[in-house]
Amino acid sequence: ILNVEQSPQSLHVQEGDSTNFTCSFPSSNFYALHWYRWETAKSPEALFVMTLNGDEKKKGRISATLNTKEGYSYLYIKGSQPEDSATYLCAPFGESYDKVIFGPGTSLSVIP
Amino acid sequence: ETGVTQTPRHLVMGMTNKKSLKCEQHLGHNAMYWYKQSAKKPLELMFVYSLEERVENNSVPSRFSPECPNSSHLFLHLHTLQPEDSALYLCASSQDGTGGIGEQYFGPGTRLTVT
């Protein structure tokens, strides 16, 4: 798996706004899509692992969808809060370790 | 201790030094990883150990030498590094199996500066 893209690269939203960002990846040799949140001065933290086309997962105000046929995943944050400020990484994993690729991330800043 | 720990948190070394990074996972996972985060670059996989056996070496220069003495410990031995090796080095662990590569649990990282 090559060429993992995330958009936008960064965004600033007001507290209470909902937002979403995109992860695009080649759909061949795909096995699972991981989403991670990485807050400044902390470790990356897993949000979701999705494998099935059409999969939708939710954790609190954050949800994600997956389209394996066209090679994209969306991450949604409803009612953004300042504590959501972080870089969000997607990682489409192949079935073997030589296909572990992380995207460049989307940096989210939520303004109080 | 819980989760994944790494020591030291910060390291400054000269190009002729030899140093080691240490990682320990307290999660009972069967796979451990070294990642590198350089400035303005995506997180990059370096090495993977599954059941204490190295299963992936992502074209990493030989000046980086991993060691996995048991399923809970992982080391990265550093020797004759270059200034461009300055980066954040993250350790991770996961429980991998027939369901594929598990979600990664990351340590806090070691910020390495090579002078």
Side-chain angles (χ1 to χ4, degrees):
Chain A
I1 294 181
L2 302 173
N3 266 1
V4 181
E5 297 179 356
Q6 290 189 248
S7 61
Q9 185 176 345
S10 66
L11 73 163
H12 302 261
V13 302
Q14 292 289 332
E15 181 176 353
D17 288 351
S18 294
T19 187
N20 65 85
F21 12 99
T22 306
C23 172
S24 302
F25 54 91
S27 54
S28 59
N29 291 322
F30 167 86
Y31 191 80
L33 193 285
H34 295 217
W35 278 102
Y36 293 85
R37 174 171 59 201
W38 195 354
E39 296 178 64
T40 302
K42 292 188 177 180
S43 313
E45 175 192 0
L47 289 172
F48 306 112
V49 177
M50 298 187 288
T51 57
L52 300 175
N53 185 45
D55 217 356
E56 184 169 339
K57 296 216 171 179
K58 188 174 181 182
K59 183 183 287 189
R61 293 178 292 98
I62 304 176
S63 60
T65 60
L66 177 64
N67 183 321
T68 59
K69 293 183 179 179
E70 296 182 38
Y72 64 83
S73 177
Y74 294 138
L75 189 80
Y76 302 90
I77 303 179
K78 184 177 178 182
S80 302
Q81 299 296 309
E83 58 265 29
D84 297 327
S85 297
T87 296
Y88 291 81
L89 304 175
C90 74
F93 284 16
E95 204 160 354
S96 56
Y97 291 109
D98 63 339
K99 297 178 175 63
V100 172
I101 306 286
F102 277 78
T106 291
S107 175
L108 173 66
S109 293
V110 181
I111 304 162
Chain B
E1 289 277 17
T2 59
V4 181
T5 58
Q6 288 186 243
T7 54
R9 296 292 305 276
H10 300 271
L11 178 63
V12 179
M13 60 185 289
M15 289 191 284
T16 58
N17 291 157
K18 288 184 183 180
K19 296 285 184 183
S20 295
L21 310 184
K22 179 183 175 182
C23 174
E24 185 172 359
Q25 60 102 355
H26 309 266
L27 300 167
H29 288 164
N30 60 7
M32 296 187 76
Y33 307 70
W34 280 116
Y35 288 91
K36 176 182 178 182
Q37 168 93 79
S38 302
K40 300 189 187 294
K41 286 188 174 181
L43 202 56
E44 179 185 350
L45 179 67
M46 299 176 72
F47 300 105
V48 183
Y49 277 82
S50 177
L51 299 172
E52 303 159 44
E53 186 175 327
R54 193 195 309 184
V55 294
E56 178 63 18
N57 173 350
N58 196 15
S59 303
V60 180
S62 58
R63 57 185 182 270
F64 295 91
S65 174
E67 178 190 2
C68 185
N70 56 60
S71 60
S72 299
H73 293 85
L74 185 66
F75 294 88
L76 188 63
H77 304 298
L78 314 173
H79 169 55
T80 323
L81 294 192
Q82 305 298 309
E84 59 265 28
D85 296 321
S86 299
L88 179 69
Y89 289 84
L90 287 167
C91 174
S93 70
S94 64
Q95 185 62 27
D96 302 342
T98 54
I101 300 171
E103 66 182 51
Q104 308 282 286
Y105 288 75
F106 287 90
T110 295
R111 175 68 64 184
L112 173 67
T113 303
V114 181
T115 60

